[in-house]
Amino acid sequence: KLLNFVPRHQIIVARILGEKYSLIETRVIGVLEILMFIWIISKIKPRLCVFVQVIIIATMNIIEFILVPDLLLFGRVNIILAAILILIILFNEFWIYDNGKNN
């Protein structure tokens, strides 16, 4: 998103938030995604991190599902893929990670 390799991201942002600042807003989203990645690998407050990830992924995908399904890579099916990603994140944190701590 920072390098605009996939212009569709900016088009989605423009359609949802307006054209005027869509480039800046898309780059801000890209920076926030990098910060989220740093938070994930830091393992600082992992449960809170998982909660924030799930809320962001769900919210973003619901908004896109309603407002811009025609711009999504897989259309409305994207929400199913997002749900699978959320389940993987939750499974990883609450099943795999917890069981690893108990060994």
Side-chain angles (χ1 to χ4, degrees), residues 47-67:
R47 296 278 163 97
L48 178 60
C49 184
V50 164
F51 177 73
V52 171
Q53 285 178 70
V54 166
I55 295 300
I56 290 171
I57 292 168
T59 302
M60 175 188 69
N61 279 276
I62 291 167
I63 290 169
E64 291 172 343
F65 181 89
I66 294 168
L67 298 178

Side-chain angles (χ1 to χ4, degrees), residues 53-54 57-58 60-61 78-92:
Q53 285 178 70
V54 166
I57 292 168
M60 175 188 69
N61 279 276
N78 266 35
I79 204 155
I80 296 168
L81 301 174
I84 292 168
L85 176 60
I86 288 170
L87 290 173
I88 290 169
I89 292 168
L90 293 171
F91 180 76
N92 182 61

